Amino acid sequence: MTDLDHSDDVSSASSRRWRAEQARLSSEQTDQHAVALESVLAVLRSTRLDDRASRAMAIEVAASALVGLRTASDERWSAQLEPVVGAFARLRSDLRPLVRFGDLDVQFVEPPSTGRALPGEVAHAARAIVRSAVLALVDAGESRKVRIQWDCDGLNLLIGIRDDGAGELTPHDDSLRPIAERVTALNGGLDVTATPGWGSSVEITLPLDPPAVPEPLADVVSFSPREREVLKLVASGAQNRAIAEQLGVSANTVKFHVSNVLRKAGVRTRGELVALSRTTP
């Protein structure tokens, strides 16, 4: 079998696994939909509930099913790319009932259609962040208008959320904690500015690419073969005597090599050297 044939077999196997997983997810989602619809019908047909109670229960069941549907959909697409305009349109759809029936005036400033497509994880997190922020503003009851803007600079998704509330929001506000946690998890940045009486502004930056993996220390510093051996042993936690025994040299020779490694690495202590060399093979 040639390398090309092997590659084709691997690709075919991966494709079959992907189709099988998609079929499984579709089947599960169909079953969940059926259960949700049957539940709503059962509630509406129940003779043990009056009209008001049955309506409230049906709404609760439907809302729960909708949340489950959205979660499953987000998980299904989390590994794929979304056009930034499409991701923003889904956000508007998420907030449509709140905008239509609530007291909050939400203004949407769409991203440019030429913006870079968003990784599924970033698109999902961005929508969740904005939803959380808007719900926090609604709960506070001080804002009447909120402006939501997305933009893309080629490397990051830029999210701006501005309200006309009391202008007392701070980066340490409890309502921002879940947002800050999501932003941190994606190696993003969050900045809050507020002007008393004029409102608050939340600016969020979400990188579109995963952080670069730092090169191993041994690959970026010019160590001799012996210094590389010493570095590897120091990084493993071995002390000078153990290193000397393993390499068959004197303790003084090990001290000499350790000193050179510290100097070349630009650190002063073994602890700093160990931390810096974590990625060393």
Side-chain angles (χ1 to χ4, degrees):
M1 180 183 292
T2 66
D3 290 343
L4 182 58
D5 291 335
H6 177 70
S7 176
D8 288 341
D9 288 344
V10 172
S11 177
S12 178
S14 298
S15 178
R16 286 196 298 272
R17 285 194 298 270
W18 183 86
R19 287 196 298 270
E21 178 65 13
Q22 294 305 305
R24 183 187 68 79
L25 291 172
S26 294
S27 177
E28 287 184 359
Q29 211 167 69
T30 299
D31 290 343
Q32 290 170 355
H33 292 172
V35 170
L37 290 173
E38 289 290 352
S39 299
V40 170
L41 288 174
V43 169
L44 294 176
R45 290 168 176 166
S46 175
T47 58
R48 293 178 295 176
L49 299 171
D50 59 28
D51 287 347
R52 182 176 180 181
S54 92
R55 186 166 56 251
M57 182 63 72
I59 291 173
E60 181 179 344
V61 171
S64 177
L66 185 59
V67 170
L69 172 62
R70 176 65 72 190
T71 300
S73 177
D74 283 335
E75 290 176 350
R76 187 172 182 177
W77 293 100
S78 63
Q80 302 187 22
L81 293 175
E82 284 192 56
V84 64
V85 173
F88 193 77
R90 287 187 63 186
L91 171 65
R92 294 188 67 161
S93 178
D94 290 343
L95 295 176
R96 185 175 293 121
L98 185 62
V99 173
R100 184 177 179 184
F101 300 110
D103 296 327
L104 193 65
D105 178 13
V106 182
Q107 301 174 351
F108 296 94
V109 181
E110 295 196 9
S113 59
T114 55
R116 179 179 163 187
L118 308 180
E121 183 181 14
V122 173
H124 173 47
R127 287 191 292 268
I129 285 169
V130 175
R131 290 196 300 263
S132 295
V134 172
L135 289 175
L137 294 175
V138 170
D139 289 342
E142 298 175 343
S143 304
R144 291 293 174 264
K145 293 183 180 180
V146 61
R147 182 173 183 266
I148 300 169
Q149 180 174 6
W150 280 16
D151 202 351
C152 188
D153 64 4
L155 296 177
N156 305 281
L157 174 64
L158 310 175
I159 302 173
I161 306 168
R162 181 173 180 80
D163 75 334
D164 64 347
E168 298 175 349
L169 195 64
T170 72
H172 307 293
D173 194 282
D174 286 342
S175 64
L176 290 183
R177 184 174 295 116
I179 294 174
E181 290 174 353
R182 280 186 173 272
V183 172
T184 300
L186 291 173
N187 300 296
L190 183 149
D191 184 55
V192 179
T193 57
T195 304
W198 289 88
S200 304
S201 178
V202 179
E203 303 292 334
I204 296 165
T205 302
L206 298 179
L208 301 183
D209 297 305
V213 177
E215 293 186 72
L217 180 61
D219 291 346
V220 297
V221 178
S222 180
F223 293 122
S224 70
R226 178 62 83 186
E227 288 169 348
R228 287 175 180 270
E229 292 177 328
V230 171
L231 171 62
K232 188 173 183 178
L233 291 170
V234 170
S236 71
Q239 298 302 309
N240 286 358
R241 178 174 295 181
I243 295 174
E245 292 177 356
Q246 183 161 338
L247 298 181
V249 298
S250 69
N252 285 335
T253 299
V254 172
K255 289 180 181 179
F256 172 77
H257 287 312
V258 171
S259 178
N260 283 341
V261 170
L262 292 172
R263 176 178 55 80
K264 290 184 178 181
V267 296
R268 294 180 298 174
T269 67
R270 294 171 75 101
E272 291 177 349
L273 181 63
V274 170
L276 191 62
S277 60
R278 289 297 185 189
T279 56
T280 300

